[in-house]
């Protein structure tokens, strides 16, 4: 996870935006051939408010990226039937939804691990244009099964994004 302290490669943490917790169900019977997507077609970026509250200007932001994310089981089931989990973000109305270029967080090598909470790692992609330039975004939580899943997974997503300035 990104650290909240100053780092040479990330500059200064200007602010963090925490998004509302989302509860969802991934239905059993998912196969390893097709991913399962839990999509929110329009989520407020909340960046205009965060910029104002932090007392910074949009021009001060050099990088926007994932800060913290985790998927938590609501029923104490583990995610051992999954191979990979991703959070993708893209502009509202993107034809066909978000793509591989839009991965904000991911975690793989989950298959047969008995984790009831999965911490996701932020990608290295700079999402400044999307978050600073848009009021809303499409958010997709994507699951890749390791085998045909045997049960429904009831879970919640917790996540946040951070803005950094003064990059070195």
């Amino acid at each position: 996870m990104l650290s909240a302290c100053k780092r040479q490669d990330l500059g200064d943490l200007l602010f963090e935006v925490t998004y509302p917790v989302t509860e969802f169900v991934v239905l059993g019977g998912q196969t390893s051939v097709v991913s399962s997507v839990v999509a929110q077609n329009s989520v407020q970026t909340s960046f205009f408010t965060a910029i104002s509250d932090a007392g910074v200007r949009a021009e001060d932001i050099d990088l926007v990226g994932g800060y913290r994310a985790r998927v938590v089981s609501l029923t104490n089931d583990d995610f051992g039937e999954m191979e990979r989990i991703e959070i993708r973000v893209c502009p509202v109305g993107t034809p066909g939804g978000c793509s591989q270029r839009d991965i904000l967080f991911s975690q793989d090598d989950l298959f047969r691990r008995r984790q009831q909470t999965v911490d996701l790692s932020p990608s290295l992609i700079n999402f400044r244009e999307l978050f600073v330039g848009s009021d809303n975004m499409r958010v997709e939580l994507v699951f890749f099964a390791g085998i045909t899943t045997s049960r429904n997974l009831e879970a919640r997503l917790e996540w946040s994004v951070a803005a950094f300035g003064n990059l070195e």
Side-chain angles (χ1 to χ4, degrees):
M1 292 306 231
L2 300 174
S3 173
C5 36
K6 181 174 171 100
R7 292 175 34 160
Q8 289 287 335
D9 56 341
L10 291 180
D12 297 323
L13 174 65
L14 300 175
F15 57 85
E16 176 184 3
V17 175
T18 301
Y19 293 93
V21 171
T22 304
E23 293 186 2
F24 60 90
V25 176
V26 177
L27 298 176
Q30 304 299 318
T31 68
S32 60
V33 178
V34 178
S35 59
S36 175
V37 179
V38 177
Q40 295 176 296
N41 291 322
S42 185
V43 174
Q44 287 187 345
T45 62
S46 302
F47 257 59
F48 295 115
T49 302
I51 287 170
S52 175
D53 291 349
V56 299
R57 299 171 304 146
E59 301 83 44
D60 298 332
I61 300 170
D62 296 317
L63 178 121
V64 175
Y67 199 61
R68 306 173 216 269
R70 69 181 185 171
V71 178
V72 180
S73 172
L74 296 176
T75 57
N76 295 323
D77 291 319
D78 63 65
F79 294 93
E81 294 182 334
M82 296 296 158
E83 175 59 36
R84 181 175 173 85
I85 301 173
E86 298 175 349
I87 298 174
R88 299 177 183 180
V89 294
C90 59
V92 171
T94 300
C98 301
S99 71
Q100 285 289 105
R101 296 183 317 269
D102 303 318
I103 297 172
L104 182 64
F105 292 96
S106 66
Q107 193 59 260
D108 57 8
D109 196 26
L110 298 172
F111 188 59
R112 302 217 169 146
R113 295 181 187 248
R114 299 186 159 268
Q115 295 174 275
Q116 295 173 349
T117 299
V118 176
D119 292 320
L120 305 176
S121 300
S123 73
L124 299 176
I125 300 170
N126 187 348
F127 286 90
R128 183 191 185 287
E129 184 177 319
L130 175 64
F131 283 88
V132 175
S134 304
D135 290 328
N136 294 297
M137 64 188 155
R138 178 180 172 87
V139 178
E140 296 178 354
L141 184 57
V142 185
F143 291 87
F144 299 88
I147 58 171
T148 301
T149 59
S150 63
R151 64 189 186 289
N152 293 347
L153 284 174
E154 296 178 38
R156 73 175 181 262
L157 170 65
E158 304 166 356
W159 65 293
S160 69
V161 168
F164 295 88
N166 299 317
L167 293 182
E168 307 261 334

